[in-house]
Amino acid sequence: MLSTLYQWIKQNRSKRLNILMPKLKRKLVGIQNYFGLPDNSKSISRIYNFVLHSLYKWLKRRSQRDSFNWRGFKDMLGYFQIKPLRVSKRLIAVDWY
């Protein structure tokens, strides 16, 4: 899954940010909904950090100018409302054992 996200970011890095970022946000929300179970917060945060670092790497390579620094990148994430992934609470009691 991480390699497919990495390849998707790599292939779509040349698109305009107002097209790329909503699609990425949708992908991250889907990951959060699927994997965001209790006791899985460490894996969710690893996925989020991997996506951020991959996106930062490939967006910086779009031109020969240094287009982003980390602070500007974080501001851009705030503008597009991409927030860290959270683990949701269980709405129903489940007896797994």
Side-chain angles (χ1 to χ4, degrees), residues 21-83:
M21 298 311 282
K23 288 182 182 180
L24 180 68
K25 183 178 179 181
R26 217 172 308 133
K27 286 182 180 292
L28 288 174
V29 168
I31 289 170
Q32 178 179 347
N33 290 339
Y34 189 78
F35 293 107
L37 299 173
D39 299 331
N40 202 18
S41 60
K42 192 180 285 189
S43 297
I44 290 290
S45 66
R46 283 184 189 154
I47 291 171
Y48 181 73
N49 288 334
F50 176 79
V51 168
L52 282 191
H53 288 280
S54 300
L55 183 65
Y56 181 71
K57 171 186 172 177
W58 288 110
L59 287 180
K60 281 184 65 95
R61 292 181 180 206
R62 293 197 317 179
S63 69
Q64 293 181 354
R65 287 183 31 209
D66 196 18
S67 55
F68 283 112
N69 58 14
W70 192 250
R71 180 176 289 153
F73 180 71
K74 288 291 202 172
D75 291 341
M76 188 248 327
L77 291 176
Y79 176 78
F80 287 105
Q81 298 175 351
I82 296 180
K83 298 178 178 131

